[in-house]
Amino acid sequence: MKQTLREYYDKAYATGRKAIGHFISIAARDRVVVVIPAFNEEKNIQRTIQLIHGTGINPRIIVVNDGSTDRTAEIARTNGCEVYSMDKNVGKSHAVFKGFKEAILIK
């Protein structure tokens, strides 16, 4: 049975496992955009992206690589996401803001 994104995160938090930040979805010109701030999430990012694609809504996914030193950006790019990388870790709020700025640009 397929697990929904919400079920995945509820279970992750209930069991104390790490889940990737928070998802922020915005509607932009009748499209859904998902902004994922990520810092050293190479172990989780692919599964997260697969769960988003599994919703059937086919959103534009923006991953903001917040100064990761692992393969987070590479894995996200390989899975069809737009990736914007920060030079250093600036925190979730700055990464989310960067994602929002990129989301409102017409592509």
Side-chain angles (χ1 to χ4, degrees):
M1 180 165 83
K2 268 193 174 178
Q3 189 177 38
T4 67
L5 187 60
R6 183 75 211 170
E7 291 167 339
Y8 173 75
Y9 276 91
D10 287 346
K11 184 177 179 183
Y13 284 114
T15 59
R17 287 191 336 222
K18 185 178 179 196
I20 295 177
H22 296 280
F23 291 93
I24 296 94
S25 299
I26 61 172
R29 295 198 176 242
D30 300 323
R31 273 191 85 186
V32 174
V33 179
V34 178
V35 176
I36 306 172
F39 176 69
N40 290 336
E41 293 290 348
E42 73 178 337
K43 293 180 181 174
N44 302 312
I45 194 75
Q46 185 167 1
R47 173 84 172 125
T48 301
I49 294 165
Q50 290 170 346
L51 287 167
I52 294 168
H53 285 303
T55 63
I57 57 173
N58 194 28
R60 176 180 167 202
I61 302 175
I62 297 174
V63 174
V64 181
N65 178 30
D66 192 13
S68 298
T69 56
D70 63 4
R71 297 177 49 241
T72 299
E74 177 187 337
I75 293 168
R77 211 173 277 113
T78 301
N79 283 275
C81 299
E82 294 176 41
V83 177
Y84 300 93
S85 293
M86 310 301 264
D87 292 333
K88 63 180 181 175
N89 184 275
V90 294
K92 189 185 300 182
S93 61
H94 289 283
V96 168
F97 185 71
K98 170 70 173 170
F100 280 168
K101 286 193 332 189
E102 296 300 332
I104 63 173
L105 296 175
I106 306 301
K107 300 251 176 187

